[in-house]
Amino acid sequence: MSARTRRLTTAQALVRFLSAQYTERDGVRRRLIAGTWGIFGHGNVAGVGQALVEYAEVMPFHQGRNEQSMVHAAVGYARQLNRLSAQAVTTSIGPGATNLVTGAALATINRLPVLLLPGDYFASHSADPLLQQLEHPVEADVSVNDTLRPVSRYFDRITRPEALIPSALQAMRVLADPAETGAVTLALPQDVQAEAYDWPEEFFTERVWPVRRPAPDPVELSAAVEAIRSAARPLIVAGGGVHHSEAEEALQAFADATGIPVASTQAGKGSLRHDHPADLGGIGHTGTAVSDDLARTADLVIGVGTRYTDFTTASGTLFQNPDVRFLNLNITGFDAHKLAARTLVCDARTGLERLLEALAGHRVGQEYVAEYRAGKDRWDEVVEAAYRAGGDSAVPTQTQVLGALDAVVGDDDVVINAAGSLPGDLHKLWRARSPRQYHLEYGYSCMGYEIPAAIGVQQAAPGTPVWALVGDGTYLMMPTEIVTAVQEGLPLNIVLIQNHGYASIGGLSQETGGERFGTAYRFRAADGTFTGAPLPVDLAANAASLGMDVLRAKTVRELREALATARASGRPTCVYVETDPAPTAPPAEAWWDVPVAETAAREAAVEARERYDRQVAGRRRHL
């Protein structure tokens, strides 16, 4: 063997390579792939599995219980660390690989890095068909891993050992690039995983991937400054890119100097602390009254790191000023060009700093500042009333659950949620105290995300109190990673809210003419109808059976005490509360488009369509 080569299997070479990859931004270096999640089967146990044993000292391993949830844990980890460090996920072929698809879609939609390493069929076709192999009659190179192509930012199938070298480098480039990152898939045929090759030593040397902070183009910057100077009612919409760029201080300096108010998307909430005078809270369908009122009259909307989803724009009905224009500061041109905007394609922190320098003392009018601050004060009263409604001995509503948690958490606690009615209540009401406290996955709104993501966050921020807020519907989707938290000794907290059904979709079903069909957990009668009695399911006992400490709370007072106990515990703890299902959060301040049956015989659907037609008439295309 030459002194400049090393004979290893393909899987061993991949693990050694991954252990030597780093990112660097602002002089801070981190491991790019900090650990590997895995569930083993015949497609990866003798290849990647053996390599992880061989190099356990340089590649931490985490055992999962479900392939999708392993991706969610890796995504939670990457988000907590602002995309500067990620994790890998290895699976067998077949169902193990296809279980990755939902997690991959979530990662890519949210622009968060994760490396997927599914096993694949034999590249040599020596064992054909293989156990769990998909056979295609006219495309012999197709496997179930091809389902990962549309949800991956980079995909390759490594059919020869030497093909790993360029592909692994491309994979790292994409993972570390803030403009391109998302799920990256390297499909690994199991015979190739175990095949030995003489690898060049240079492949295993430490490699640093700079995470760029591109500056704005001078021409774009000049146009952006002119747009801001000429606007009387500008409004900033802060998206997840503010957090990814660690631009919170730059945004605060910009808001302090210019007086321009800041509303936030689900991913951007916490960009300013909740009590900052310019922070207006959430915007859009689940936004605050003050944010949405200002959005309707804004003449310039400055998007910073946002994708402008339909929840943010209220399905195209929110920004109603006839003269409204958009200025989008985004690291990707794809997002910057949305809504026919003026573009500032750059890093969020760098862009805000350059804008502030170029504005040279510009500030909005004092009347505008007084207007939005008064609106903020009114909304703060709404939040306080919602949190404090009812007595200590009352059965808590979901809003009171949030109020009780608000009273217990510290500035650095992390609150995680993704789906159901909780995202709307949190976006309107939660008082974010720090940039990383509010962790809502609302790009894919994936039920089952919360518990595994909490594990990833806990791994990324040891010692930080982490709260996974889940309803009964979400809990039943993916509780299995509780076992992982217990195994890894991670003291995450679960707040499990029992309301006996899909509360959010039940409300939406009622609003859109579906009459809450199929949304409650009830006994089915012989005639197919559902009775009023809830199912005798004890989710708290289930959590306990998986290894958690469980605290049951029946009143608001008991709930506060249980939350405080959980926060002080050093063990995985579940606070279980059965809530009063009556909605107590403020209603939506803006519309959301869910098409309603254009023709129907049932009265509920007919009335829903009439409401829909009135709302959809307010949509406009911004050209």
Side-chain angles (χ1 to χ4, degrees):
M1 180 187 296
S2 164
R4 294 192 56 79
T5 63
R6 191 185 310 187
R7 191 161 184 81
L8 302 172
T9 69
T10 303
Q12 291 165 356
L14 176 59
V15 172
R16 287 297 305 185
F17 169 82
L18 294 177
S19 71
Q21 307 303 302
Y22 294 83
T23 64
E24 186 173 298
R25 186 171 72 181
D26 304 330
V28 178
R29 182 178 294 192
R30 292 182 182 272
R31 277 276 296 266
L32 176 50
I33 304 299
T36 298
W37 287 90
I39 296 175
F40 295 112
H42 71 95
N44 64 342
V45 66
V48 173
Q50 189 281 326
L52 288 168
V53 173
E54 189 95 2
Y55 298 118
E57 77 282 1
V58 294
M59 180 57 68
F61 174 73
H62 310 290
Q63 183 183 53
R65 269 74 197 171
N66 176 282
E67 292 84 1
Q68 177 183 322
S69 63
M70 291 194 299
V71 185
H72 293 336
V75 166
Y77 178 91
R79 176 170 170 173
Q80 182 68 19
L81 295 176
N82 297 316
R83 308 192 296 193
L84 298 174
S85 185
Q87 294 176 322
V89 178
T90 179
T91 72
S92 185
I93 74 168
T98 51
N99 278 351
L100 296 173
V101 175
T102 297
L106 181 148
T108 295
I109 286 170
N110 286 284
R111 320 294 207 257
L112 293 166
V114 61
L115 176 61
L116 307 179
L117 304 172
D120 215 320
Y121 58 68
F122 282 34
S124 65
H125 290 276
S126 58
D128 193 33
L130 189 69
L131 175 65
Q132 299 179 318
Q133 179 179 341
L134 172 72
E135 292 184 273
H136 195 287
V138 294
E139 295 182 76
D141 63 343
V142 168
S143 84
V144 296
N145 286 329
D146 288 279
T147 60
L148 288 160
R149 288 182 184 271
V151 293
S152 297
R153 294 291 288 166
Y154 180 81
F155 179 98
D156 195 11
R157 180 176 287 113
I158 310 301
T159 56
R160 291 185 56 82
E162 60 267 35
L164 176 66
I165 295 175
S167 189
L169 292 169
Q170 288 292 344
M172 298 303 103
R173 177 190 65 79
V174 173
L175 289 170
D177 188 336
E180 292 194 38
T181 197
V184 167
T185 300
L186 298 180
L188 302 171
Q190 56 183 297
D191 54 345
V192 178
Q193 289 181 47
E195 186 176 344
Y197 181 75
D198 292 333
W199 303 88
E201 280 290 342
E202 292 84 355
F203 187 54
F204 306 114
T205 57
E206 285 192 6
R207 191 179 303 267
V208 178
W209 301 85
V211 179
R212 305 180 187 90
R213 289 196 181 276
D217 176 82
V219 174
E220 287 192 335
L221 180 62
S222 178
V225 169
E226 178 57 31
I228 294 172
R229 285 187 178 278
S230 62
R233 301 179 63 81
L235 173 66
I236 294 171
V237 175
V242 175
H243 294 309
H244 300 327
S245 175
E246 298 176 318
E248 297 90 357
E249 289 186 9
L251 179 62
Q252 180 175 328
F254 188 87
D256 288 343
T258 65
I260 299 175
V262 177
S264 55
T265 68
Q266 287 279 15
K269 193 172 171 76
S271 294
L272 290 183
R273 188 180 157 96
H274 75 94
D275 53 5
H276 188 280
D279 180 68
L280 306 183
I283 190 170
H285 176 61
T286 54
T288 68
V290 58
S291 287
D292 288 352
D293 285 347
L294 259 67
R296 293 183 181 97
T297 60
D299 56 0
L300 178 68
V301 178
I302 306 169
V304 182
T306 178
R307 299 188 300 124
Y308 285 112
T309 68
D310 58 343
F311 258 60
T312 300
T313 67
S315 300
T317 64
L318 185 58
F319 305 110
Q320 287 297 318
N321 187 328
D323 299 320
V324 67
R325 293 293 181 266
F326 295 84
L327 167 64
N328 291 339
L329 191 166
N330 204 293
I331 202 163
T332 71
F334 176 80
D335 289 316
H337 280 275
K338 290 175 179 175
L339 301 175
R342 292 182 183 274
T343 60
L344 206 58
V345 180
C346 60
D347 169 72
R349 192 175 85 180
T350 303
L352 287 167
E353 291 171 346
R354 297 292 174 85
L355 270 177
L356 186 54
E357 291 171 5
L359 283 166
H362 172 76
R363 189 170 176 82
V364 297
Q366 189 55 40
E367 289 185 3
Y368 184 50
V369 174
E371 176 188 344
Y372 72 68
R373 287 186 178 178
K376 174 180 173 61
D377 289 342
R378 289 192 297 272
W379 188 258
D380 287 344
E381 293 173 1
V382 170
V383 173
E384 191 65 28
Y387 279 178
R388 305 303 169 219
D392 280 359
S393 60
V395 174
T397 65
Q398 183 165 284
T399 303
Q400 290 166 329
V401 171
L402 300 185
L405 185 61
D406 174 82
V408 169
V409 300
D411 285 6
D412 295 326
D413 291 36
V414 179
V415 176
I416 300 175
N417 187 241
S421 57
L422 276 165
D425 292 355
L426 286 161
H427 200 207
K428 292 190 196 82
L429 301 174
W430 188 257
R431 301 190 280 210
R433 297 158 166 82
S434 61
R436 293 284 74 184
Q437 181 169 87
Y438 188 87
H439 184 126
L440 260 285
E441 187 289 296
Y442 217 58
Y444 209 42
S445 187
C446 185
M447 296 178 74
Y449 171 82
E450 295 90 342
I451 295 173
I455 291 173
V457 171
Q458 199 93 71
Q459 290 176 329
T464 299
V466 179
W467 303 86
L469 273 58
V470 296
D472 47 13
T474 288
Y475 178 85
L476 287 168
M477 290 279 180
M478 203 163 289
T480 51
E481 296 312 312
I482 287 174
V483 178
T484 302
V486 172
Q487 181 181 40
E488 300 238 344
L490 299 174
L492 67 88
N493 301 304
I494 296 174
V495 181
L496 175 51
I497 300 171
Q498 171 66 277
N499 53 28
H500 300 290
Y502 300 119
S504 174
I505 292 302
L508 183 62
S509 173
Q510 182 172 328
E511 178 66 22
T512 57
E515 303 177 48
R516 294 185 176 266
F517 177 76
T519 62
Y521 297 156
R522 297 287 189 259
F523 283 105
R524 182 187 291 274
D527 63 359
T529 61
F530 292 88
T531 70
L535 299 176
V537 175
D538 191 341
L539 299 184
N542 177 260
S545 75
L546 297 177
M548 295 201 91
D549 293 343
V550 175
L551 305 171
R552 296 176 186 256
K554 295 183 178 180
T555 67
V556 173
R557 180 187 293 107
E558 290 178 3
L559 176 61
R560 279 199 302 270
E561 292 171 353
L563 293 170
T565 300
R567 190 173 187 273
S569 172
R571 282 199 23 92
T573 304
C574 173
V575 176
Y576 174 87
V577 57
E578 189 161 351
T579 57
D580 181 340
T584 54
E589 297 290 337
W591 185 60
W592 182 45
D593 188 353
V594 177
V596 176
E598 193 168 0
T599 180
R602 296 180 68 87
E603 182 179 352
V606 172
E607 292 177 353
R609 182 66 194 196
E610 291 173 354
R611 293 193 298 271
Y612 178 82
D613 288 338
R614 289 194 298 271
Q615 294 284 359
V616 79
R619 173 182 287 143
R620 60 181 294 197
R621 292 194 180 276
H622 298 284
L623 300 172

